[in-house]
Each structure stands twice: as structure tokens, then as C-alpha cells.
């Protein structure tokens, strides 16, 4: 793979200055999103919820990029400072993501229930709108369906999922509000505000391309450990393994895929800092691979939510059966996402060789 190395000094500045400029840009975006979130939270009703959700997503996006840059380019930065800030940014990003995740999971499961029932599925609400209003994700209903109404079991399964996930989403919303008002968050915001003007760098220099290449090599090593050969066969049923185990917390076969998703994100963030480095920026195949892993994560979490609902005591057999079918459907979605990733990664391998 051809590499173009940045000089440690010159027109583009030292390696540390390049990283510092990127961090200042992301810190400025973080502060802008924080201001928008506060303004939308105190504005009049109307578009407030959607604006607040957009601002929260922008906060998460900039927090992830700052954290990823601190991780990949740590040798250029003050280690004590970066090691203290990274987990705080991860905490903030994870806390803000929960409400949106529960809303998207509920929408995904309710639409899947209707699809599996042969019922007409109404157009889904935009995720931004769902993320902004607690309890608005409703079970789509249409009396004039091609195959009749939902069965009693499917309808009760949908109602159970809606109760559980709406409650979880309400709690996540409250947790996010508490986090944004906490002293811990204000400490993070203060550190990011300082970062917008001054980045603590080490005196020693390092090769930006080499650091970006390290992130890429970690990704390649993790992908090598995945069962890509089996994932390349459609309908291999690998994702359904342990589907009937009595263990409520079996070893997760999804964890290595989630780990690759994280490493791919770090690799893409590194390419934002060093666009002329290894790979010359994200390729179409990498974008497809990232999208496939996002679908993999969403389907795996939806399947886990269906399995959790099925463990509810004293539910009717028809409800449990509908939840079991829904769980199997989402595990098939997991399998399909692995297949899509394998195909995209194969194209990426061909592109880089």
C-alpha cells in the first residue's frame, strides 16, 4: 500500500500541530453542539425535541472523534491528560446514546413484527424525531392489511416490547439529563473548552502515517480473527448458535464483531487526521463495511431485547412464540450483516493489494 509521509516540519506543520489542529476543530464543534443543545432545551415547543436530538448526536459525534484521536495519536500528546479525558468522553458519548438506541430498537422490532405477520407497515418515523420525544414510538396499526390483523400473540408481544423499551428509554432520557447537569459533565466541558485553544503536546515527535498505520493493522488483525469464511456463506445459521441455551448470559459470539466495528471507527477517524496517509482516506468498501457492522450491532441488540422480553414471567405461550420468531428474525439479520461485511471487506482487500 503506497504511503505519503508528512514531514515533521514544513508547510503543513509538525505532526503534533496537525493533530492539535484537528482536536481544536472537534473541540469547537463540541462546544457549538453544547450551546445548541442548551438553546433548544430552553426554547419554545415545536421543533425543540428534534433540534435537541440533533444537538445531542453532534455532541456524541465530536466526543467520539476527540476520544478516537486521543487514542490513536497518544504518543504525540501528554499521556496523563489524554488518559484522563478519554474515559470521560466515552462515558458522555455512551450516556447520550442510550435514549436514541432504545427508540431505534423499539421501532426496528415493531416493524419486524408487522413484516413477519404479513401486515402493512406504516412509514417509520425518523430516528431524530423518535430520539427527541419520550414514549412516542407507537405500534403501527392498519386494519386493512394484506394478511389480516396481527395475531393476538404478535400484538401482545409488540405491546410488551413497547412497555419495556419505552420505560428503558424514559430512564435513559432522565439519566442523560442528569448527566448533562452534573459536575462530572461540566468538568468534561471545561477540559474540552481548554482543548479548543490549547492542546498539551509532547516534545517528542512521531510519524503520523505510522500511527495511523498502527490503527489499520489492529483492525486487520481483528478482522483476521473473525470467521469470515463461514460468514461468506449465506444462510449458514451461525448467528443462531446458542439460541436455545439455558444460560441467560452465554459467551457472546457478537463481541468480536463489535470489537471490529470499534477498530474500524478508530481507523476512519485516523484517516480524518491523516487524509493522505495509509489508504488515502475511507474507501467505498470501508463505508459499506462500517454500515454492515452498524446493522449487525442494531440487530444483535434488538434480538437481545426480544429474548429479554420472552423471559418475562407468566406471559402467554402465543406471546412467547411471537417473541421467539422475532428473536430468530433478528439473529438472521445479524447473519445477513456479517455476510455483507464479508463481501465489503473482500472488496477492500482487493482495493489495497
Amino acid at each position: 500500500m503506497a504511503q505519503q509521509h508528512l514531514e515533521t516540519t514544513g508547510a503543513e506543520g509538525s505532526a503534533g500541530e496537525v493533530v492539535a489542529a484537528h482536536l481544536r476543530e472537534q473541540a469547537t464543534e463540541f462546544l457549538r453542539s453544547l450551546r445548541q443543545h442548551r438553546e433548544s432545551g430552553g426554547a419554545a415547543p415545536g421543533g425543540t425535541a428534534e433540534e435537541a436530538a440533533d444537538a445531542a448526536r453532534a455532541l456524541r459525534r465530536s466526543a467520539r472523534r476527540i476520544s478516537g484521536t486521543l487514542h490513536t495519536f497518544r504518543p504525540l500528546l501528554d499521556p496523563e491528560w489524554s488518559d484522563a479525558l478519554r474515559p470521560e468522553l466515552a462515558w458522555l458519548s455512551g450516556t447520550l446514546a442510550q435514549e436514541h438506541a432504545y427508540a431505534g430498537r423499539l421501532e426496528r422490532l415493531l416493524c419486524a413484527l408487522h413484516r413477519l405477520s404479513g401486515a402493512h407497515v406504516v412509514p417509520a418515523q425518523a430516528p431524530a424525531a423518535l430520539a427527541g420525544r419520550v414514549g412516542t414510538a407507537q405500534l403501527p396499526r392498519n386494519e386493512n392489511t394484506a394478511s389480516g390483523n396481527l395475531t393476538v400473540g404478535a400484538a401482545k408481544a409488540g405491546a410488551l416490547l413497547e412497555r419495556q423499551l419505552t420505560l428503558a428509554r424514559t430512564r435513559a432520557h432522565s439519566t442523560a439529563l442528569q448527566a448533562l447537569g452534573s459536575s462530572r459533565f461540566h468538568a468534561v466541558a471545561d477540559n474540552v473548552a481548554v482543548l479548543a485553544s490549547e492542546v498539551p503536546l509532547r516534545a517528542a515527535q512521531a510519524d503520523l502515517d505510522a500511527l495511523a498505520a498502527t490503527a489499520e493493522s489492529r483492525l486487520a488483525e481483528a478482522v483476521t480473527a473473525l470467521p469470515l469464511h463461514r460468514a461468506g456463506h449465506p444462510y449458514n445459521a451461525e448467528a443462531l448458535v446458542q439460541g436455545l441455551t439455558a444460560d441467560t448470559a452465554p459467551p457472546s459470539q457478537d463481541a468480536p464483531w463489535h470489537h471490529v466495528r470499534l477498530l474500524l471507527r478508530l481507523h476512519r477517524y485516523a484517516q480524518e487526521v491523516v487524509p493522505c496517509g495509509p489508504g488515502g482516506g475511507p474507501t467505498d468498501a470501508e463505508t459499506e463495511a462500517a454500515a454492515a457492522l452498524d446493522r449487525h450491532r442494531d440487530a444483535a441488540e434488538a434480538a437481545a431485547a426480544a429474548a429479554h422480553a420472552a423471559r418475562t414471567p407468566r406471559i402467554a405461550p402465543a406471546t412467547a412464540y411471537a417473541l421467539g420468531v422475532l428473536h430468530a428474525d433478528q439473529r438472521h439479520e445479524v447473519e445477513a450483516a456479517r455476510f455483507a461485511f464479508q463481501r465489503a471487506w473482500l472488496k477492500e482487500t482487493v482495493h489495497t493489494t
Side-chain angles (χ1 to χ4, degrees):
M1 183 184 301
Q3 298 184 15
Q4 301 175 8
H5 293 275
L6 289 175
E7 300 294 334
T8 55
T9 59
E12 299 186 33
S14 68
E17 290 170 350
V18 172
V19 172
H22 181 76
L23 285 172
R24 284 194 293 268
E25 177 185 351
Q26 294 302 323
T28 301
E29 180 61 29
F30 180 96
L31 297 174
R32 183 184 300 113
S33 302
L34 177 58
R35 183 176 64 253
Q36 292 174 348
H37 190 276
R38 287 171 174 168
E39 291 174 352
S40 63
T48 302
E50 185 172 352
E51 291 173 2
D54 290 340
R57 278 196 297 274
L59 265 178
R60 287 175 10 229
R61 185 165 53 245
S62 54
R64 288 197 307 263
R65 279 168 167 76
I66 294 172
S67 179
T69 302
L70 296 180
H71 178 273
T72 302
F73 300 100
R74 184 177 180 273
L76 293 168
L77 304 166
D78 179 84
E80 183 177 352
W81 167 80
S82 61
D83 290 347
L85 183 56
R86 272 176 48 214
E88 295 303 291
L89 290 169
W91 160 75
L92 175 61
S93 177
T95 301
L96 295 179
Q98 288 303 308
E99 182 184 0
H100 177 76
Y102 283 123
R105 199 169 305 153
L106 176 59
E107 181 186 19
R108 181 188 186 94
L109 287 168
L110 294 183
C111 289
L113 265 179
H114 277 69
R115 172 174 50 80
L116 292 168
S117 301
H120 174 71
V121 181
V122 299
Q125 283 185 280
L130 285 174
R133 299 189 295 276
V134 174
T136 58
Q138 299 295 325
L139 182 65
R141 291 179 174 87
N142 190 310
E143 297 299 327
N144 301 316
T145 62
S147 301
N149 298 327
L150 289 180
T151 64
V152 173
K156 288 186 175 180
L160 176 60
L161 288 168
E162 190 169 7
R163 286 197 303 271
Q164 291 184 347
L165 291 176
T166 300
L167 176 61
R169 182 166 170 256
T170 303
R171 290 173 175 169
H173 179 75
S174 300
T175 300
L177 291 180
Q178 292 174 3
L180 290 174
S182 67
S183 58
R184 183 178 183 182
F185 170 74
H186 289 296
V188 174
D190 289 342
N191 284 328
V192 175
V194 172
L195 181 62
S197 59
E198 180 182 358
V199 179
L201 299 171
R202 282 185 179 181
Q205 290 296 325
D207 187 349
L208 282 180
D209 281 347
L211 296 175
T214 300
E216 185 178 27
S217 65
R218 290 196 192 103
L219 170 62
E221 182 179 350
V223 171
T224 302
L226 295 177
L228 289 185
H229 177 72
R230 186 167 182 80
H233 295 281
Y235 307 108
N236 57 71
E238 181 71 16
L240 293 171
V241 172
Q242 296 181 330
L244 294 177
T245 179
D247 189 355
T248 58
S252 175
Q253 60 165 286
D254 301 323
W257 297 86
H258 296 333
H259 183 57
V260 168
R261 177 178 174 271
L262 172 62
L263 293 179
L264 179 55
R265 174 183 287 175
L266 290 175
H267 168 57
R268 300 183 76 192
Y269 290 169
Q271 289 179 314
E272 294 178 1
V273 180
V274 196
C276 60
T283 63
D284 291 341
E286 286 178 339
T287 302
E288 291 178 20
L293 290 178
D294 286 343
R295 294 196 302 272
H296 179 277
R297 187 271 315 269
D298 293 343
E301 291 180 346
H308 174 74
R311 297 189 192 99
T312 303
R314 296 181 297 279
I315 60 175
T319 305
Y321 175 79
L323 289 168
V325 172
L326 186 59
H327 174 269
D329 173 74
Q330 292 303 300
R331 291 310 299 177
H332 279 300
E333 293 289 332
V334 167
E335 182 182 303
R338 293 177 183 178
F339 177 76
F341 173 81
Q342 190 269 350
R343 298 293 294 271
W345 192 257
L346 184 61
K347 289 192 290 185
E348 171 64 13
T349 304
V350 172
H351 171 78
T352 56
T353 54

